Amino acid sequence: EVRLVESGGGSVQPGGSLTLSCVISGFPFEKLTVGWFRQAPGKEREAVACIAISGGEKWYSNSARGRLTISSDKTTNSVTLQMNNLDPDDTASYYCAADGNYDSALGLALVHPKWVSYWGLGTQVIVSS
């Protein structure tokens, strides 16, 4: 069974930081492309940052670029999203996603979320004063 377990969500003030972690099991880690998606109430799920584990290629949304950093650690089969200078617009449920069928971070970011193979249960991020 493929499992994605997220952690690190919480509540912070604007300008604060959070670190989200996704630990993956049940699938060869280096064959995956992994991403973080977010969904706010009433809005569609959207890609924030993605990484191709094998080659290290990364993709960021325009809003994430410069504030968020995605990285992977093969020793722990984990993907981390470092979130800095958070804004209230970042408030959402954040989901870790993985797929072995896309060869690039861009490919995972562009595909409709319903076609992504594996999902975590999500972790809530709230940014407010």
Side-chain angles (χ1 to χ4, degrees):
E1 180 182 8
V2 179
R3 289 174 54 86
L4 287 71
V5 180
E6 304 110 324
S7 62
S11 298
V12 296
Q13 294 183 330
S17 299
L18 284 173
T19 302
L20 306 184
S21 177
C22 176
V23 179
I24 301 172
S25 61
F27 200 99
F29 187 60
E30 292 190 356
K31 295 185 180 296
L32 290 171
T33 302
V34 182
W36 285 96
F37 292 67
R38 71 183 184 187
Q39 187 166 26
K43 296 184 178 180
E44 295 183 353
R45 191 169 299 188
E46 62 179 0
V48 177
C50 300
I51 181 170
I53 302 301
S54 180
E57 178 201 4
K58 299 176 181 179
W59 176 93
Y60 295 99
S61 68
N62 289 335
S63 64
R65 191 171 295 110
R67 301 186 303 119
L68 279 58
T69 303
I70 191 169
S71 61
S72 64
D73 186 347
K74 66 179 182 180
T75 67
T76 56
N77 288 357
S78 64
V79 172
T80 296
L81 184 67
Q82 178 64 49
M83 310 171 71
N84 297 325
N85 194 25
L86 286 166
D87 186 271
D89 289 341
D90 296 314
T91 297
S93 293
Y94 283 72
Y95 298 88
C96 183
D99 204 297
N101 296 315
Y102 301 95
D103 296 328
S104 68
L106 175 62
L108 180 62
L110 293 180
V111 72
H112 193 285
K114 72 178 182 180
W115 299 118
V116 178
S117 294
Y118 309 113
W119 291 93
L121 296 179
T123 184
Q124 184 72 33
V125 171
I126 300 175
V127 185
S128 64
S129 299

